Amino acid sequence: MKQVEIVVLGCGFTGSRVAERFLLRGMRVILTTRNPEKLASLRERGAEVVEWDAAAPEPLPIPNGAVVLHSIPSVLVDGQYTDPTPRLLQALRGIPSRFVYLSTTGVYGRARDVDDRTPVQPASPREHVRVEAEEMVASGPWSTLILRPAAIYGRGRGIHVSMADGKYGFTGDGANFVSRIHVEDLAAHCEAALQSDLTGAYPVADEHPCTAREIAQFCAELLGVPMPRSVSVESVHDTRRADRRVDGRAIRNLLGIALRYSSYRTGIPAALSQE
């Protein structure tokens, strides 16, 4: 890959790990965040940190020809979901050559079995704004790849954390399927995507979708805590109500990705050991 600038818009759980990968390559990495102090370690390693808030954006100058990862999610504001993408694109000063957008498998709506051929079927307001964001990114004057990750977990985030804190409960009998991707494997997808000229939109997931009850039982045994109780559907976030099995093989094959954690059964113990 030629030495172009890497810009990570929204350098959070996933974006910070992508930044680390390119810093190790000795590349110029520009990061945006609302809280620069949280990225002090990346700044010390050579990243340029720009304070920028998508909720009230100032002009955002980026180098022409830069390669951009957009990982700022939609948020709930005054009871309505809103997505920063329209404001973000209007704020850009400079035209990227490549734009990779981290969306969500939520755009597939109620589809139970998802792969690279599954059409988007947004059912909720949150899902609709994400589809609209995807369309806006894809309409820009750059090469676009959209990655749609399943539930992201890793050190400090995931069911193993919420169960340890006694804050997890599955709905009904826990028979709904959930797919996941370890954050390090998602970062590997992003790294490869930013260096690729592949276009389109693809789901990202590991090789082991499982039921909510299955992973809860695994974590209960691993952590030595009681099985969580069933809770009402209304009491959980809509992302926890999904019943979806995601096949991420297509994008892995196209980008040449080998998963480090093909299943939560290896990914969660690794996350716990790092914590």
Side-chain angles (χ1 to χ4, degrees):
M1 182 181 184
K2 63 181 181 179
Q3 290 295 305
V4 299
E5 291 85 357
I6 306 297
V7 179
V8 181
L9 303 175
C11 193
F13 190 62
T14 303
S16 60
R17 287 163 172 83
V18 177
E20 288 173 353
R21 289 170 176 261
F22 284 104
L23 287 171
L24 286 172
R25 292 172 175 265
M27 300 184 71
R28 183 187 179 198
V29 179
I30 304 169
L31 315 175
T32 72
T33 177
R34 292 180 297 173
N35 303 298
E37 62 277 7
K38 291 185 176 181
L39 302 183
S41 64
L42 290 173
R43 175 183 276 146
E44 290 170 1
R45 294 167 62 181
E48 299 176 35
V49 178
V50 177
E51 184 174 1
W52 190 80
D53 188 347
E58 297 292 327
L60 180 58
I62 66 168
N64 281 320
V67 174
V68 173
L69 174 67
H70 170 12
S71 61
I72 307 175
S74 56
V75 293
L76 190 63
V77 178
D78 297 328
Q80 291 188 327
Y81 277 101
T82 182
D83 193 281
T85 302
R87 296 188 299 275
L88 185 155
L89 296 181
Q90 290 172 3
L92 286 182
R93 300 294 183 269
I95 300 177
S97 61
R98 177 73 166 162
F99 211 110
V100 174
Y101 177 46
L102 279 190
S103 184
T104 169
T105 53
V107 298
Y108 296 110
R110 297 188 178 92
R112 193 164 194 264
D113 293 291
V114 167
D115 63 17
D116 59 301
R117 297 163 295 180
T118 305
V120 295
Q121 303 174 57
S124 70
R126 184 180 66 87
E127 294 161 5
H128 278 281
V129 299
R130 293 308 288 268
V131 171
E132 291 168 4
E134 288 187 2
E135 292 170 349
M136 290 192 70
V137 169
S139 67
W142 41 65
S143 165
T144 303
L145 181 63
I146 296 165
L147 300 178
R148 297 167 176 159
I152 307 168
Y153 75 100
R155 184 182 64 205
R157 173 171 163 178
I159 182 175
H160 60 290
V161 176
S162 54
M163 278 188 62
D165 292 340
K167 297 178 180 178
Y168 178 82
F170 50 76
T171 60
D173 61 0
N176 59 301
F177 273 84
V178 182
S179 293
R180 289 176 169 78
I181 186 72
H182 192 285
V183 66
E184 295 296 346
D185 285 322
L186 178 56
H189 280 74
C190 294
E191 179 184 23
L194 289 164
Q195 298 175 91
S196 167
D197 58 3
L198 178 69
T199 60
Y202 296 85
V204 180
D206 66 22
E207 298 173 355
H208 196 157
C210 69
T211 66
R213 174 175 283 277
E214 179 184 338
I215 194 169
Q217 185 170 355
F218 175 82
C219 288
E221 294 172 357
L222 189 65
L223 297 168
V225 299
M227 274 287 284
R229 292 179 297 177
S230 176
V231 298
S232 67
V233 172
E234 294 76 17
S235 68
V236 301
H237 192 274
D238 60 355
T239 57
R240 295 252 310 276
R241 304 173 192 173
D243 183 12
R244 188 179 301 120
R245 293 181 292 201
V246 180
D247 182 347
R249 285 178 294 180
I251 190 64
R252 290 202 302 272
N253 291 339
L254 288 167
L255 294 178
I257 298 293
L259 294 177
R260 183 184 299 180
Y261 305 108
S262 62
S263 166
Y264 69 87
R265 292 183 174 275
T266 55
I268 289 178
L272 287 169
S273 68
Q274 294 163 356
E275 292 165 13

